[in-house]
mmCIF file of all heavy atoms in Angstrom:
data_model
loop_
_atom_site.group_PDB
_atom_site.id
_atom_site.type_symbol
_atom_site.label_atom_id
_atom_site.label_comp_id
_atom_site.label_asym_id
_atom_site.label_seq_id
_atom_site.Cartn_x
_atom_site.Cartn_y
_atom_site.Cartn_z
ATOM 1 N N THR A 69 -27.323 34.619 32.179
ATOM 2 C CA THR A 69 -27.809 33.966 33.387
ATOM 3 C C THR A 69 -26.980 34.414 34.590
ATOM 4 O O THR A 69 -26.109 35.277 34.471
ATOM 5 C CB THR A 69 -27.771 32.425 33.215
ATOM 6 O OG1 THR A 69 -28.405 31.814 34.333
ATOM 7 C CG2 THR A 69 -26.349 31.891 33.100
ATOM 8 N N ASP A 70 -27.292 33.841 35.747
ATOM 9 C CA ASP A 70 -26.455 34.034 36.939
ATOM 10 C C ASP A 70 -26.376 32.680 37.637
ATOM 11 O O ASP A 70 -26.838 31.686 37.078
ATOM 12 C CB ASP A 70 -27.024 35.132 37.850
ATOM 13 C CG ASP A 70 -28.475 34.873 38.213
ATOM 14 O OD1 ASP A 70 -28.902 33.691 38.167
ATOM 15 O OD2 ASP A 70 -29.196 35.835 38.532
ATOM 16 N N LEU A 71 -25.828 32.640 38.835
ATOM 17 C CA LEU A 71 -25.651 31.326 39.473
ATOM 18 C C LEU A 71 -26.972 30.641 39.782
ATOM 19 O O LEU A 71 -27.023 29.416 39.916
ATOM 20 C CB LEU A 71 -24.781 31.460 40.731
ATOM 21 C CG LEU A 71 -23.294 31.723 40.449
ATOM 22 C CD1 LEU A 71 -22.533 32.005 41.748
ATOM 23 C CD2 LEU A 71 -22.653 30.538 39.724
ATOM 24 N N ASP A 72 -28.097 31.410 39.870
ATOM 25 C CA ASP A 72 -29.411 30.789 40.084
ATOM 26 C C ASP A 72 -29.812 29.919 38.893
ATOM 27 O O ASP A 72 -30.605 28.993 39.031
ATOM 28 C CB ASP A 72 -30.495 31.861 40.279
ATOM 29 C CG ASP A 72 -30.326 32.575 41.614
ATOM 30 O OD1 ASP A 72 -29.750 31.958 42.529
ATOM 31 O OD2 ASP A 72 -30.744 33.740 41.711
ATOM 32 N N GLY A 73 -29.250 30.254 37.719
ATOM 33 C CA GLY A 73 -29.634 29.516 36.514
ATOM 34 C C GLY A 73 -28.688 28.368 36.200
ATOM 35 O O GLY A 73 -28.735 27.796 35.112
ATOM 36 N N VAL A 74 -27.810 28.009 37.142
ATOM 37 C CA VAL A 74 -26.830 26.948 36.914
ATOM 38 C C VAL A 74 -27.155 25.742 37.788
ATOM 39 O O VAL A 74 -27.550 25.900 38.940
ATOM 40 C CB VAL A 74 -25.406 27.495 37.239
ATOM 41 C CG1 VAL A 74 -24.397 26.389 37.353
ATOM 42 C CG2 VAL A 74 -24.984 28.510 36.181
ATOM 43 N N ASP A 75 -27.038 24.522 37.227
ATOM 44 C CA ASP A 75 -27.404 23.307 37.967
ATOM 45 C C ASP A 75 -26.225 22.543 38.550
ATOM 46 O O ASP A 75 -26.407 21.667 39.390
ATOM 47 C CB ASP A 75 -28.180 22.364 37.031
ATOM 48 C CG ASP A 75 -29.402 23.047 36.472
ATOM 49 O OD1 ASP A 75 -30.363 23.232 37.236
ATOM 50 O OD2 ASP A 75 -29.378 23.447 35.292
ATOM 51 N N ALA A 76 -25.011 22.803 38.063
ATOM 52 C CA ALA A 76 -23.829 22.095 38.577
ATOM 53 C C ALA A 76 -22.575 22.863 38.157
ATOM 54 O O ALA A 76 -22.614 23.665 37.226
ATOM 55 C CB ALA A 76 -23.774 20.670 38.011
ATOM 56 N N VAL A 77 -21.459 22.596 38.862
ATOM 57 C CA VAL A 77 -20.174 23.228 38.519
ATOM 58 C C VAL A 77 -19.178 22.115 38.187
ATOM 59 O O VAL A 77 -18.982 21.199 38.994
ATOM 60 C CB VAL A 77 -19.617 24.055 39.704
ATOM 61 C CG1 VAL A 77 -18.353 24.795 39.283
ATOM 62 C CG2 VAL A 77 -20.659 25.037 40.218
ATOM 63 N N ALA A 78 -18.589 22.193 36.989
ATOM 64 C CA ALA A 78 -17.571 21.211 36.579
ATOM 65 C C ALA A 78 -16.225 21.903 36.541
ATOM 66 O O ALA A 78 -16.121 23.035 36.049
ATOM 67 C CB ALA A 78 -17.904 20.657 35.197
ATOM 68 N N VAL A 79 -15.191 21.241 37.048
ATOM 69 C CA VAL A 79 -13.867 21.863 37.079
ATOM 70 C C VAL A 79 -12.789 20.858 36.697
ATOM 71 O O VAL A 79 -12.915 19.664 36.991
ATOM 72 C CB VAL A 79 -13.591 22.478 38.478
ATOM 73 C CG1 VAL A 79 -13.526 21.401 39.567
ATOM 74 C CG2 VAL A 79 -12.306 23.298 38.478
ATOM 75 N N THR A 80 -11.731 21.352 36.063
ATOM 76 C CA THR A 80 -10.582 20.503 35.742
ATOM 77 C C THR A 80 -9.823 20.168 37.020
ATOM 78 O O THR A 80 -9.317 21.065 37.691
ATOM 79 C CB THR A 80 -9.631 21.240 34.782
ATOM 80 O OG1 THR A 80 -10.372 21.659 33.647
ATOM 81 C CG2 THR A 80 -8.480 20.343 34.353
ATOM 82 N N GLN A 81 -9.724 18.867 37.316
ATOM 83 C CA GLN A 81 -8.986 18.425 38.513
ATOM 84 C C GLN A 81 -7.510 18.181 38.181
ATOM 85 O O GLN A 81 -6.641 18.272 39.036
ATOM 86 C CB GLN A 81 -9.628 17.136 39.046
ATOM 87 C CG GLN A 81 -8.974 16.660 40.327
ATOM 88 C CD GLN A 81 -9.429 15.274 40.749
ATOM 89 O OE1 GLN A 81 -10.178 14.608 40.026
ATOM 90 N NE2 GLN A 81 -8.986 14.842 41.914
ATOM 91 N N GLY A 82 -7.204 17.839 36.942
ATOM 92 C CA GLY A 82 -5.844 17.543 36.494
ATOM 93 C C GLY A 82 -5.931 16.826 35.165
ATOM 94 O O GLY A 82 -7.047 16.617 34.681
ATOM 95 N N PRO A 83 -4.848 16.486 34.507
ATOM 96 C CA PRO A 83 -3.482 16.851 34.850
ATOM 97 C C PRO A 83 -3.185 18.298 34.471
ATOM 98 O O PRO A 83 -3.945 18.907 33.725
ATOM 99 C CB PRO A 83 -2.656 15.872 34.003
ATOM 100 C CG PRO A 83 -3.522 15.553 32.833
ATOM 101 C CD PRO A 83 -4.931 15.623 33.310
ATOM 102 N N GLY A 84 -2.074 18.830 35.013
ATOM 103 C CA GLY A 84 -1.699 20.207 34.710
ATOM 104 C C GLY A 84 -0.728 20.710 35.753
ATOM 105 O O GLY A 84 -0.135 19.929 36.500
ATOM 106 N N LEU A 85 -0.574 22.018 35.807
ATOM 107 C CA LEU A 85 0.310 22.642 36.799
ATOM 108 C C LEU A 85 -0.457 22.760 38.106
ATOM 109 O O LEU A 85 -1.561 23.305 38.121
ATOM 110 C CB LEU A 85 0.731 24.041 36.330
ATOM 111 C CG LEU A 85 1.477 24.111 35.002
ATOM 112 C CD1 LEU A 85 1.583 25.556 34.518
ATOM 113 C CD2 LEU A 85 2.868 23.509 35.168
#
Side-chain angles (χ1 to χ4, degrees):
T69 187
D70 54 24
L71 288 173
D72 290 334
V74 166
D75 303 287
V77 185
V79 65
T80 305
Q81 183 190 5
L85 301 168

